[in-house]
Amino acid sequence: MENSYFDRTALLIGDEAMSCILQAKVIVFGVGGVGSWVAECLVRTGVRDITLVDSDRVSPTNINRQMPATADTVGEIKTDAAKRRLLEINPAATVKTLPIFYDSETASTIDLSEYDYIVDAIDSLKDKALLILNATRSGRKFFSSMGAALKMDPQKIKVGEFWTVKGCPLARALRQKFKKEKQFPAKKFLCVYSDEVLENKGIASETCDYKAQINGSLCHITAIFGMTIAGEIIKDIVKCSWQKGAI
């Protein structure tokens, strides 16, 4: 039955490219408003080996934009809730979960070279910078999400090389950090970003998680960020497959 799940995908991209998608190994750091949709899109497209890294638990304030978040999953570890959802989509998938923060203490426990694609959907500036440095040194293909909060217009979402991104405060802060510490990514990499920066109009409720600055965000924006990263991965797999077929 699993093969029929991806009939429409294979019809468009061809059997060889479909085979490459089925064999791809992806790791997603951050299973929130962006990373969760990366994972769902990849599994729906045929990726069967995916690893999810996130130690957070589902909060009521996640429900407006995150795939694993429902009234029934509040309090669960996000990676567990996301794994259950992904296996409901394709029970034949291998979904590994690492319920940890990616930081200087845990980074060495994950061998990035084991994966074909690395996705950064981390919020924390320090840990995001660390992942960018390690991922670009790994030799694997890497895609990163810049800030998806304080945005409303989906037509302003773009894909660009990190050092050319304009109008994104998170990208600016990362570049400043790299320059200040004189540590730089080992290679260029693509980001999803938007140069739209709105202001919060309301006041966060007491149920918000105050581990970081709270900014408003919307599902259609975070989901498009995530789907766009997944699309870049799928395009890359298909492109590589078609190029091999042309040789």
Side-chain angles (χ1 to χ4, degrees):
M1 181 182 292
E2 183 200 6
N3 289 340
S4 65
Y5 296 165
F6 310 115
D7 278 354
R8 300 297 177 93
T9 307
L11 186 63
L12 177 63
I13 67 176
D15 292 339
E16 186 173 342
M18 187 72 246
S19 178
C20 291
I21 288 174
L22 292 169
Q23 296 174 48
K25 295 184 66 175
V26 182
I27 185 166
V28 179
F29 290 87
V31 190
V34 175
S36 62
W37 298 111
V38 175
E40 171 144 346
C41 183
L42 290 177
V43 169
R44 284 192 181 276
T45 307
V47 171
R48 291 188 294 187
D49 192 326
I50 190 163
T51 298
L52 308 175
V53 185
D54 198 318
S55 69
D56 281 353
R57 293 181 179 270
V58 177
S59 161
T61 60
N62 300 153
I63 290 175
N64 82 317
R65 69 195 184 284
Q66 299 186 13
M67 176 270 279
T70 68
D72 290 335
T73 63
V74 168
E76 285 190 43
I77 295 174
K78 286 182 183 178
T79 52
D80 291 344
K83 177 178 180 177
R84 186 166 61 250
R85 164 73 170 178
L86 297 176
L87 292 178
E88 286 173 352
I89 295 168
N90 184 9
T94 299
V95 182
K96 302 166 189 169
T97 61
L98 295 174
I100 61 173
F101 282 114
Y102 184 84
D103 57 23
S104 58
E105 294 184 0
T106 62
S108 62
T109 67
I110 301 174
D111 184 358
L112 296 177
S113 67
E114 292 182 0
Y115 302 92
D116 301 307
Y117 294 90
I118 303 165
V119 175
D120 158 41
I122 292 176
D123 292 330
S124 162
L125 179 68
K126 175 172 61 72
D127 301 328
K128 190 178 195 74
L130 176 65
L131 177 59
I132 289 172
L133 292 175
N134 289 339
T136 57
R137 293 167 182 163
S138 70
R140 297 303 185 244
K141 294 183 179 180
F142 172 62
F143 297 92
S144 179
S145 172
M146 295 295 107
L150 298 177
K151 304 178 193 309
M152 191 178 299
D153 187 349
Q155 296 188 58
K156 293 186 177 180
I157 297 172
K158 307 175 182 71
V159 176
E161 199 283 315
F162 171 69
W163 291 101
T164 68
V165 170
K166 295 181 180 179
C168 174
L170 179 55
R172 185 186 312 116
L174 284 165
R175 290 193 293 261
Q176 290 173 345
K177 181 175 177 61
F178 291 140
K179 290 174 182 177
K180 179 180 179 180
E181 298 179 358
K182 297 183 179 179
Q183 293 191 75
F184 298 95
K187 64 179 181 179
K188 294 181 178 180
F189 60 95
L190 292 180
C191 302
V192 177
Y193 73 100
S194 168
D195 57 10
E196 180 181 30
V197 182
L198 302 176
E199 294 182 357
N200 289 313
K201 298 288 188 181
I203 300 174
S205 72
E206 293 182 358
T207 60
C208 284
D209 179 354
Y210 286 99
K211 69 177 183 178
Q213 181 179 351
I214 302 299
N215 285 314
S217 51
L218 296 169
C219 185
H220 71 279
I221 296 295
T222 61
I224 292 172
F225 267 59
M227 294 290 182
T228 301
I229 290 176
E232 289 298 316
I233 292 172
I234 296 303
K235 283 196 304 180
D236 188 77
I237 295 172
V238 172
K239 178 182 175 182
C240 290
S241 171
W242 286 356
Q243 287 176 340
K244 288 179 182 178
I247 295 175

